[in-house]
Amino acid sequence: MFGTNRPAGRWREDNTVGSEHSVADRSGIDQQDIRVLVENGEYWLRNRGDVAMMTVTVERLRERWPHARIGVLTHQPAVLQALLPEVEPICGPEWCWGSGSWQGRLSRTAGTKLFGPAALRWRAATDGPKDRLRALRSSARTHCAPDELGAEAADEGFPVEIPAAIAQSSLVLALGGGYMTDVDRYQANRTINLLERAQMLGIPTAMVGQGLGPLRDPVLLRRATEVLPSADFIALREGRRGPDLLTGFGVEPSRVMITGDDAVEFGYRRRGARIGTDIGLCLRVADYSKVTAAAQTTLGRVVRDRAVERDAGVVPLIISEYASEDRLGTMPLLAGAARTVSPVGRGGTAHDVARQVAGCRLLVTSAYHLAVFALSQGIPAVGITASEYYDDKFHGLAQMFGTGLRVVHLNDAALEDNLGRAIQEVWDDAPAVRDPLRQKAVEQIDASRAGLERVFRLVESGPVRRATV
């Protein structure tokens, strides 16, 4: 049967795992020969949930291999250096590892201390105007002829190319995300191609924190069946759909483990000492979220009314800055609210958002990772969904925590009554579910770290591929 979330050892507040495997015999390994190539799932680094997963995983890699080189595939090298100074950006057009000489290290240090912070400030200042321009262009494209639209889309796309950095890597690690699904075909194909090339070269491959499906696209199904059975290890963030999909692909159950989301530890670390007093709110309006204007109106009214009844502030929580999707969906809902809190700025970090979550008594969110941040801190949530994609995300998350998450469908004919009732019940339940939620978070942290232990052993149990450049 599939691996459960039973940990190899107990995660402690000093961020270590007590286990017979936690101190492996690595006497024959020169860590400087280890190169970990990380597929982070979101190359633009505009989703703070994805950044949180990457942050935790990189920290764990660095704890184990302090002197290894960790490269992350990205379209935003300077921003990556600002967010995670301990990693190396792997970016186009060459998609190669940088020089390991002192000149290369000096260049990366300069990028971290100078260019990275400047890139964050520039992006924060310019994203708003650029997003408005994109919206205008998108509106104009709806009136284009099909062949014109196809040509422009092709010009704006990025080729699914195989990074040259694979050939000099000791391990290829695909970080968690919900991209192995029909609604994100590009990223799903990119990851599958990456894993396939590494497997052809005899390089260990692993996937962690994965949320799989819905997945019915025949091309994706065929490619997943061709490649995923050869992955050395796959850790799933839920057991609702992923295990059955992997069985259908032909993946051996012994290579699979259900661990929970890697951002659970990120959220848990920021738990507060007292129960919050506000209601956190996030509505993502995107093609894949399928939210109607009528549902938006009802959602905003119900949340504002419940906040007034409980003398609570409404906190807009922004997890994704991609095309301003969370800001554009959430901020209009605050109009008319008696008391609000300012959102994080466009240059804000995942840490900033997690701290805002800590001040809430409950969340109402259509963004999955905000629910992860909340539940991990012991804060209950109402997950709002209007698509099968988010049904799976929230119901899978609810199974992992066992309590504290109510799922409400925005296409429910009785939305106003059901949403109002869910908010009231979750508000009342907040003190009782606080400790059970945190206990579930610790169990998932244990399991996630135990899963990564299996990834470590893929490298440590065999010869490390020495870099040729």
Side-chain angles (χ1 to χ4, degrees), residues 375-408:
L375 298 173
S376 302
Q377 297 185 46
I379 300 167
V382 177
I384 49 179
T385 172
S387 68
E388 184 184 21
Y389 179 57
Y390 276 98
D391 288 349
D392 285 353
K393 284 192 173 195
F394 283 124
H395 284 294
L397 186 62
Q399 288 179 359
M400 294 303 296
F401 277 91
T403 188
L405 179 60
R406 308 288 180 88
V407 181
V408 174

PDB file of all heavy atoms in Angstrom, residues 375-408:
ATOM      1  N   LEU A 375      -4.414  26.835   8.690  1.00  0.00           N
ATOM      2  CA  LEU A 375      -4.586  25.578   9.415  1.00  0.00           C
ATOM      3  C   LEU A 375      -3.313  25.183  10.151  1.00  0.00           C
ATOM      4  O   LEU A 375      -3.372  24.661  11.269  1.00  0.00           O
ATOM      5  CB  LEU A 375      -5.001  24.476   8.444  1.00  0.00           C
ATOM      6  CG  LEU A 375      -6.351  24.687   7.719  1.00  0.00           C
ATOM      7  CD1 LEU A 375      -6.550  23.604   6.661  1.00  0.00           C
ATOM      8  CD2 LEU A 375      -7.509  24.701   8.694  1.00  0.00           C
ATOM      9  N   SER A 376      -2.167  25.448   9.547  1.00  0.00           N
ATOM     10  CA  SER A 376      -0.885  25.098  10.174  1.00  0.00           C
ATOM     11  C   SER A 376      -0.642  25.901  11.439  1.00  0.00           C
ATOM     12  O   SER A 376       0.083  25.455  12.338  1.00  0.00           O
ATOM     13  CB  SER A 376       0.265  25.337   9.190  1.00  0.00           C
ATOM     14  OG  SER A 376       0.079  24.594   8.010  1.00  0.00           O
ATOM     15  N   GLN A 377      -1.245  27.084  11.543  1.00  0.00           N
ATOM     16  CA  GLN A 377      -1.112  27.912  12.734  1.00  0.00           C
ATOM     17  C   GLN A 377      -2.213  27.645  13.760  1.00  0.00           C
ATOM     18  O   GLN A 377      -2.231  28.256  14.831  1.00  0.00           O
ATOM     19  CB  GLN A 377      -1.140  29.390  12.346  1.00  0.00           C
ATOM     20  CG  GLN A 377       0.011  29.812  11.468  1.00  0.00           C
ATOM     21  CD  GLN A 377       0.026  31.303  11.199  1.00  0.00           C
ATOM     22  OE1 GLN A 377      -0.134  32.116  12.101  1.00  0.00           O
ATOM     23  NE2 GLN A 377       0.234  31.678   9.945  1.00  0.00           N
ATOM     24  N   GLY A 378      -3.140  26.739  13.408  1.00  0.00           N
ATOM     25  CA  GLY A 378      -4.255  26.460  14.313  1.00  0.00           C
ATOM     26  C   GLY A 378      -5.456  27.338  14.062  1.00  0.00           C
ATOM     27  O   GLY A 378      -6.338  27.452  14.930  1.00  0.00           O
ATOM     28  N   ILE A 379      -5.535  27.951  12.892  1.00  0.00           N
ATOM     29  CA  ILE A 379      -6.614  28.878  12.554  1.00  0.00           C
ATOM     30  C   ILE A 379      -7.540  28.212  11.540  1.00  0.00           C
ATOM     31  O   ILE A 379      -7.085  27.781  10.475  1.00  0.00           O
ATOM     32  CB  ILE A 379      -6.037  30.179  11.961  1.00  0.00           C
ATOM     33  CG1 ILE A 379      -5.114  30.847  12.981  1.00  0.00           C
ATOM     34  CG2 ILE A 379      -7.153  31.128  11.526  1.00  0.00           C
ATOM     35  CD1 ILE A 379      -4.257  31.959  12.385  1.00  0.00           C
ATOM     36  N   PRO A 380      -8.837  28.115  11.835  1.00  0.00           N
ATOM     37  CA  PRO A 380      -9.754  27.458  10.901  1.00  0.00           C
ATOM     38  C   PRO A 380     -10.035  28.329   9.688  1.00  0.00           C
ATOM     39  O   PRO A 380      -9.747  29.529   9.681  1.00  0.00           O
ATOM     40  CB  PRO A 380     -11.018  27.252  11.738  1.00  0.00           C
ATOM     41  CG  PRO A 380     -10.981  28.353  12.746  1.00  0.00           C
ATOM     42  CD  PRO A 380      -9.515  28.569  13.058  1.00  0.00           C
ATOM     43  N   ALA A 381     -10.616  27.713   8.654  1.00  0.00           N
ATOM     44  CA  ALA A 381     -10.846  28.431   7.401  1.00  0.00           C
ATOM     45  C   ALA A 381     -12.107  27.930   6.718  1.00  0.00           C
ATOM     46  O   ALA A 381     -12.547  26.795   6.935  1.00  0.00           O
ATOM     47  CB  ALA A 381      -9.639  28.269   6.472  1.00  0.00           C
ATOM     48  N   VAL A 382     -12.658  28.800   5.888  1.00  0.00           N
ATOM     49  CA  VAL A 382     -13.721  28.433   4.964  1.00  0.00           C
ATOM     50  C   VAL A 382     -13.107  28.472   3.571  1.00  0.00           C
ATOM     51  O   VAL A 382     -12.668  29.535   3.115  1.00  0.00           O
ATOM     52  CB  VAL A 382     -14.914  29.408   5.052  1.00  0.00           C
ATOM     53  CG1 VAL A 382     -15.978  29.035   4.012  1.00  0.00           C
ATOM     54  CG2 VAL A 382     -15.510  29.402   6.454  1.00  0.00           C
ATOM     55  N   GLY A 383     -13.017  27.325   2.914  1.00  0.00           N
ATOM     56  CA  GLY A 383     -12.478  27.255   1.562  1.00  0.00           C
ATOM     57  C   GLY A 383     -13.602  27.426   0.555  1.00  0.00           C
ATOM     58  O   GLY A 383     -14.581  26.682   0.586  1.00  0.00           O
ATOM     59  N   ILE A 384     -13.492  28.405  -0.311  1.00  0.00           N
ATOM     60  CA  ILE A 384     -14.546  28.669  -1.291  1.00  0.00           C
ATOM     61  C   ILE A 384     -14.075  28.227  -2.671  1.00  0.00           C
ATOM     62  O   ILE A 384     -12.947  28.495  -3.082  1.00  0.00           O
ATOM     63  CB  ILE A 384     -14.962  30.152  -1.290  1.00  0.00           C
ATOM     64  CG1 ILE A 384     -13.755  31.078  -1.364  1.00  0.00           C
ATOM     65  CG2 ILE A 384     -15.770  30.465  -0.048  1.00  0.00           C
ATOM     66  CD1 ILE A 384     -14.101  32.543  -1.386  1.00  0.00           C
ATOM     67  N   THR A 385     -14.942  27.528  -3.384  1.00  0.00           N
ATOM     68  CA  THR A 385     -14.561  26.913  -4.647  1.00  0.00           C
ATOM     69  C   THR A 385     -15.708  26.980  -5.645  1.00  0.00           C
ATOM     70  O   THR A 385     -16.871  27.005  -5.256  1.00  0.00           O
ATOM     71  CB  THR A 385     -14.143  25.446  -4.440  1.00  0.00           C
ATOM     72  OG1 THR A 385     -13.963  24.817  -5.716  1.00  0.00           O
ATOM     73  CG2 THR A 385     -15.201  24.683  -3.670  1.00  0.00           C
ATOM     74  N   ALA A 386     -15.341  27.022  -6.916  1.00  0.00           N
ATOM     75  CA  ALA A 386     -16.341  26.976  -7.982  1.00  0.00           C
ATOM     76  C   ALA A 386     -15.859  26.076  -9.117  1.00  0.00           C
ATOM     77  O   ALA A 386     -16.338  26.176 -10.233  1.00  0.00           O
ATOM     78  CB  ALA A 386     -16.636  28.381  -8.509  1.00  0.00           C
ATOM     79  N   SER A 387     -14.898  25.206  -8.843  1.00  0.00           N
ATOM     80  CA  SER A 387     -14.345  24.347  -9.893  1.00  0.00           C
ATOM     81  C   SER A 387     -13.884  23.034  -9.293  1.00  0.00           C
ATOM     82  O   SER A 387     -13.585  22.939  -8.098  1.00  0.00           O
ATOM     83  CB  SER A 387     -13.162  25.039 -10.584  1.00  0.00           C
ATOM     84  OG  SER A 387     -12.065  25.159  -9.693  1.00  0.00           O
ATOM     85  N   GLU A 388     -13.795  22.006 -10.129  1.00  0.00           N
ATOM     86  CA  GLU A 388     -13.308  20.711  -9.684  1.00  0.00           C
ATOM     87  C   GLU A 388     -11.866  20.811  -9.193  1.00  0.00           C
ATOM     88  O   GLU A 388     -11.466  20.126  -8.239  1.00  0.00           O
ATOM     89  CB  GLU A 388     -13.412  19.702 -10.824  1.00  0.00           C
ATOM     90  CG  GLU A 388     -13.026  18.285 -10.427  1.00  0.00           C
ATOM     91  CD  GLU A 388     -13.053  17.324 -11.598  1.00  0.00           C
ATOM     92  OE1 GLU A 388     -12.981  17.794 -12.759  1.00  0.00           O
ATOM     93  OE2 GLU A 388     -13.149  16.105 -11.358  1.00  0.00           O
ATOM     94  N   TYR A 389     -11.084  21.662  -9.845  1.00  0.00           N
ATOM     95  CA  TYR A 389      -9.683  21.864  -9.464  1.00  0.00           C
ATOM     96  C   TYR A 389      -9.575  22.277  -7.998  1.00  0.00           C
ATOM     97  O   TYR A 389      -8.793  21.705  -7.226  1.00  0.00           O
ATOM     98  CB  TYR A 389      -9.092  22.928 -10.383  1.00  0.00           C
ATOM     99  CG  TYR A 389      -7.652  23.296 -10.137  1.00  0.00           C
ATOM    100  CD1 TYR A 389      -6.646  22.349 -10.170  1.00  0.00           C
ATOM    101  CD2 TYR A 389      -7.289  24.629  -9.903  1.00  0.00           C
ATOM    102  CE1 TYR A 389      -5.320  22.693  -9.969  1.00  0.00           C
ATOM    103  CE2 TYR A 389      -5.966  24.985  -9.705  1.00  0.00           C
ATOM    104  CZ  TYR A 389      -4.988  24.016  -9.733  1.00  0.00           C
ATOM    105  OH  TYR A 389      -3.676  24.371  -9.531  1.00  0.00           O
ATOM    106  N   TYR A 390     -10.386  23.265  -7.584  1.00  0.00           N
ATOM    107  CA  TYR A 390     -10.330  23.713  -6.189  1.00  0.00           C
ATOM    108  C   TYR A 390     -11.112  22.796  -5.257  1.00  0.00           C
ATOM    109  O   TYR A 390     -10.803  22.725  -4.058  1.00  0.00           O
ATOM    110  CB  TYR A 390     -10.787  25.171  -6.083  1.00  0.00           C
ATOM    111  CG  TYR A 390      -9.658  26.125  -6.367  1.00  0.00           C
ATOM    112  CD1 TYR A 390      -9.509  26.705  -7.613  1.00  0.00           C
ATOM    113  CD2 TYR A 390      -8.707  26.399  -5.395  1.00  0.00           C
ATOM    114  CE1 TYR A 390      -8.444  27.549  -7.888  1.00  0.00           C
ATOM    115  CE2 TYR A 390      -7.638  27.242  -5.654  1.00  0.00           C
ATOM    116  CZ  TYR A 390      -7.512  27.822  -6.899  1.00  0.00           C
ATOM    117  OH  TYR A 390      -6.444  28.643  -7.167  1.00  0.00           O
ATOM    118  N   ASP A 391     -12.118  22.095  -5.774  1.00  0.00           N
ATOM    119  CA  ASP A 391     -12.759  21.067  -4.951  1.00  0.00           C
ATOM    120  C   ASP A 391     -11.706  20.086  -4.437  1.00  0.00           C
ATOM    121  O   ASP A 391     -11.654  19.768  -3.247  1.00  0.00           O
ATOM    122  CB  ASP A 391     -13.782  20.282  -5.774  1.00  0.00           C
ATOM    123  CG  ASP A 391     -15.039  21.077  -6.088  1.00  0.00           C
ATOM    124  OD1 ASP A 391     -15.222  22.153  -5.502  1.00  0.00           O
ATOM    125  OD2 ASP A 391     -15.827  20.609  -6.930  1.00  0.00           O
ATOM    126  N   ASP A 392     -10.878  19.610  -5.344  1.00  0.00           N
ATOM    127  CA  ASP A 392      -9.853  18.638  -4.964  1.00  0.00           C
ATOM    128  C   ASP A 392      -8.850  19.237  -3.986  1.00  0.00           C
ATOM    129  O   ASP A 392      -8.433  18.576  -3.016  1.00  0.00           O
ATOM    130  CB  ASP A 392      -9.118  18.141  -6.209  1.00  0.00           C
ATOM    131  CG  ASP A 392      -9.953  17.160  -7.019  1.00  0.00           C
ATOM    132  OD1 ASP A 392     -11.040  16.778  -6.547  1.00  0.00           O
ATOM    133  OD2 ASP A 392      -9.522  16.792  -8.125  1.00  0.00           O
ATOM    134  N   LYS A 393      -8.436  20.470  -4.254  1.00  0.00           N
ATOM    135  CA  LYS A 393      -7.453  21.104  -3.362  1.00  0.00           C
ATOM    136  C   LYS A 393      -7.977  21.189  -1.928  1.00  0.00           C
ATOM    137  O   LYS A 393      -7.310  20.784  -0.966  1.00  0.00           O
ATOM    138  CB  LYS A 393      -7.120  22.507  -3.872  1.00  0.00           C
ATOM    139  CG  LYS A 393      -6.194  22.544  -5.072  1.00  0.00           C
ATOM    140  CD  LYS A 393      -5.708  23.967  -5.304  1.00  0.00           C
ATOM    141  CE  LYS A 393      -4.642  24.017  -6.378  1.00  0.00           C
ATOM    142  NZ  LYS A 393      -3.901  25.283  -6.391  1.00  0.00           N
ATOM    143  N   PHE A 394      -9.178  21.734  -1.783  1.00  0.00           N
ATOM    144  CA  PHE A 394      -9.682  21.981  -0.433  1.00  0.00           C
ATOM    145  C   PHE A 394     -10.143  20.701   0.264  1.00  0.00           C
ATOM    146  O   PHE A 394      -9.898  20.524   1.461  1.00  0.00           O
ATOM    147  CB  PHE A 394     -10.815  23.010  -0.476  1.00  0.00           C
ATOM    148  CG  PHE A 394     -10.328  24.419  -0.660  1.00  0.00           C
ATOM    149  CD1 PHE A 394     -10.781  25.200  -1.702  1.00  0.00           C
ATOM    150  CD2 PHE A 394      -9.404  24.976   0.207  1.00  0.00           C
ATOM    151  CE1 PHE A 394     -10.331  26.504  -1.885  1.00  0.00           C
ATOM    152  CE2 PHE A 394      -8.936  26.274   0.046  1.00  0.00           C
ATOM    153  CZ  PHE A 394      -9.411  27.037  -1.005  1.00  0.00           C
ATOM    154  N   HIS A 395     -10.802  19.798  -0.451  1.00  0.00           N
ATOM    155  CA  HIS A 395     -11.210  18.553   0.195  1.00  0.00           C
ATOM    156  C   HIS A 395     -10.000  17.695   0.555  1.00  0.00           C
ATOM    157  O   HIS A 395      -9.993  17.020   1.596  1.00  0.00           O
ATOM    158  CB  HIS A 395     -12.172  17.787  -0.712  1.00  0.00           C
ATOM    159  CG  HIS A 395     -13.558  18.352  -0.736  1.00  0.00           C
ATOM    160  ND1 HIS A 395     -14.392  18.346   0.365  1.00  0.00           N
ATOM    161  CD2 HIS A 395     -14.263  18.978  -1.729  1.00  0.00           C
ATOM    162  CE1 HIS A 395     -15.542  18.916   0.061  1.00  0.00           C
ATOM    163  NE2 HIS A 395     -15.487  19.318  -1.201  1.00  0.00           N
ATOM    164  N   GLY A 396      -8.958  17.720  -0.290  1.00  0.00           N
ATOM    165  CA  GLY A 396      -7.728  17.011   0.051  1.00  0.00           C
ATOM    166  C   GLY A 396      -7.068  17.596   1.290  1.00  0.00           C
ATOM    167  O   GLY A 396      -6.588  16.868   2.161  1.00  0.00           O
ATOM    168  N   LEU A 397      -7.059  18.916   1.385  1.00  0.00           N
ATOM    169  CA  LEU A 397      -6.471  19.582   2.551  1.00  0.00           C
ATOM    170  C   LEU A 397      -7.288  19.282   3.802  1.00  0.00           C
ATOM    171  O   LEU A 397      -6.731  19.064   4.883  1.00  0.00           O
ATOM    172  CB  LEU A 397      -6.401  21.090   2.292  1.00  0.00           C
ATOM    173  CG  LEU A 397      -5.685  21.944   3.336  1.00  0.00           C
ATOM    174  CD1 LEU A 397      -4.223  21.553   3.459  1.00  0.00           C
ATOM    175  CD2 LEU A 397      -5.810  23.424   2.987  1.00  0.00           C
ATOM    176  N   ALA A 398      -8.610  19.265   3.657  1.00  0.00           N
ATOM    177  CA  ALA A 398      -9.473  18.959   4.800  1.00  0.00           C
ATOM    178  C   ALA A 398      -9.189  17.557   5.329  1.00  0.00           C
ATOM    179  O   ALA A 398      -9.179  17.332   6.557  1.00  0.00           O
ATOM    180  CB  ALA A 398     -10.936  19.086   4.394  1.00  0.00           C
ATOM    181  N   GLN A 399      -8.945  16.607   4.444  1.00  0.00           N
ATOM    182  CA  GLN A 399      -8.622  15.248   4.881  1.00  0.00           C
ATOM    183  C   GLN A 399      -7.312  15.212   5.661  1.00  0.00           C
ATOM    184  O   GLN A 399      -7.179  14.464   6.639  1.00  0.00           O
ATOM    185  CB  GLN A 399      -8.541  14.322   3.681  1.00  0.00           C
ATOM    186  CG  GLN A 399      -9.882  14.005   3.038  1.00  0.00           C
ATOM    187  CD  GLN A 399      -9.744  13.106   1.823  1.00  0.00           C
ATOM    188  OE1 GLN A 399      -8.631  12.731   1.431  1.00  0.00           O
ATOM    189  NE2 GLN A 399     -10.864  12.771   1.202  1.00  0.00           N
ATOM    190  N   MET A 400      -6.344  16.003   5.239  1.00  0.00           N
ATOM    191  CA  MET A 400      -5.040  15.992   5.903  1.00  0.00           C
ATOM    192  C   MET A 400      -5.117  16.563   7.316  1.00  0.00           C
ATOM    193  O   MET A 400      -4.407  16.115   8.220  1.00  0.00           O
ATOM    194  CB  MET A 400      -4.016  16.768   5.081  1.00  0.00           C
ATOM    195  CG  MET A 400      -3.676  16.140   3.735  1.00  0.00           C
ATOM    196  SD  MET A 400      -3.059  14.440   3.850  1.00  0.00           S
ATOM    197  CE  MET A 400      -1.533  14.682   4.760  1.00  0.00           C
ATOM    198  N   PHE A 401      -5.975  17.566   7.537  1.00  0.00           N
ATOM    199  CA  PHE A 401      -6.051  18.195   8.860  1.00  0.00           C
ATOM    200  C   PHE A 401      -7.180  17.623   9.714  1.00  0.00           C
ATOM    201  O   PHE A 401      -7.135  17.739  10.946  1.00  0.00           O
ATOM    202  CB  PHE A 401      -6.202  19.711   8.724  1.00  0.00           C
ATOM    203  CG  PHE A 401      -4.896  20.414   8.508  1.00  0.00           C
ATOM    204  CD1 PHE A 401      -4.413  20.646   7.234  1.00  0.00           C
ATOM    205  CD2 PHE A 401      -4.119  20.829   9.589  1.00  0.00           C
ATOM    206  CE1 PHE A 401      -3.201  21.289   7.024  1.00  0.00           C
ATOM    207  CE2 PHE A 401      -2.903  21.476   9.398  1.00  0.00           C
ATOM    208  CZ  PHE A 401      -2.441  21.698   8.118  1.00  0.00           C
ATOM    209  N   GLY A 402      -8.181  17.031   9.100  1.00  0.00           N
ATOM    210  CA  GLY A 402      -9.214  16.353   9.865  1.00  0.00           C
ATOM    211  C   GLY A 402     -10.280  17.234  10.466  1.00  0.00           C
ATOM    212  O   GLY A 402     -11.366  16.770  10.810  1.00  0.00           O
ATOM    213  N   THR A 403     -10.014  18.517  10.629  1.00  0.00           N
ATOM    214  CA  THR A 403     -10.968  19.454  11.213  1.00  0.00           C
ATOM    215  C   THR A 403     -10.562  20.860  10.810  1.00  0.00           C
ATOM    216  O   THR A 403      -9.476  21.080  10.280  1.00  0.00           O
ATOM    217  CB  THR A 403     -10.999  19.328  12.757  1.00  0.00           C
ATOM    218  OG1 THR A 403     -12.073  20.110  13.279  1.00  0.00           O
ATOM    219  CG2 THR A 403      -9.692  19.819  13.381  1.00  0.00           C
ATOM    220  N   GLY A 404     -11.448  21.811  11.047  1.00  0.00           N
ATOM    221  CA  GLY A 404     -11.075  23.223  10.894  1.00  0.00           C
ATOM    222  C   GLY A 404     -11.242  23.807   9.514  1.00  0.00           C
ATOM    223  O   GLY A 404     -11.005  25.005   9.337  1.00  0.00           O
ATOM    224  N   LEU A 405     -11.638  23.015   8.500  1.00  0.00           N
ATOM    225  CA  LEU A 405     -11.812  23.558   7.155  1.00  0.00           C
ATOM    226  C   LEU A 405     -13.188  23.173   6.625  1.00  0.00           C
ATOM    227  O   LEU A 405     -13.508  21.994   6.484  1.00  0.00           O
ATOM    228  CB  LEU A 405     -10.728  23.022   6.213  1.00  0.00           C
ATOM    229  CG  LEU A 405     -10.809  23.485   4.751  1.00  0.00           C
ATOM    230  CD1 LEU A 405     -10.715  25.000   4.645  1.00  0.00           C
ATOM    231  CD2 LEU A 405      -9.719  22.834   3.901  1.00  0.00           C
ATOM    232  N   ARG A 406     -14.014  24.177   6.347  1.00  0.00           N
ATOM    233  CA  ARG A 406     -15.318  23.977   5.721  1.00  0.00           C
ATOM    234  C   ARG A 406     -15.209  24.395   4.260  1.00  0.00           C
ATOM    235  O   ARG A 406     -14.613  25.429   3.963  1.00  0.00           O
ATOM    236  CB  ARG A 406     -16.401  24.822   6.401  1.00  0.00           C
ATOM    237  CG  ARG A 406     -16.490  24.659   7.905  1.00  0.00           C
ATOM    238  CD  ARG A 406     -17.069  23.312   8.300  1.00  0.00           C
ATOM    239  NE  ARG A 406     -17.140  23.172   9.744  1.00  0.00           N
ATOM    240  CZ  ARG A 406     -18.166  23.564  10.493  1.00  0.00           C
ATOM    241  NH1 ARG A 406     -19.211  24.136   9.904  1.00  0.00           N
ATOM    242  NH2 ARG A 406     -18.154  23.399  11.802  1.00  0.00           N
ATOM    243  N   VAL A 407     -15.800  23.622   3.375  1.00  0.00           N
ATOM    244  CA  VAL A 407     -15.764  23.924   1.947  1.00  0.00           C
ATOM    245  C   VAL A 407     -17.149  24.388   1.509  1.00  0.00           C
ATOM    246  O   VAL A 407     -18.143  23.701   1.751  1.00  0.00           O
ATOM    247  CB  VAL A 407     -15.323  22.698   1.124  1.00  0.00           C
ATOM    248  CG1 VAL A 407     -15.267  23.053  -0.361  1.00  0.00           C
ATOM    249  CG2 VAL A 407     -13.959  22.194   1.613  1.00  0.00           C
ATOM    250  N   VAL A 408     -17.192  25.562   0.857  1.00  0.00           N
ATOM    251  CA  VAL A 408     -18.445  26.144   0.379  1.00  0.00           C
ATOM    252  C   VAL A 408     -18.314  26.393  -1.119  1.00  0.00           C
ATOM    253  O   VAL A 408     -17.318  26.964  -1.574  1.00  0.00           O
ATOM    254  CB  VAL A 408     -18.767  27.464   1.108  1.00  0.00           C
ATOM    255  CG1 VAL A 408     -19.994  28.128   0.492  1.00  0.00           C
ATOM    256  CG2 VAL A 408     -18.984  27.212   2.594  1.00  0.00           C
TER     257      VAL A 408
END
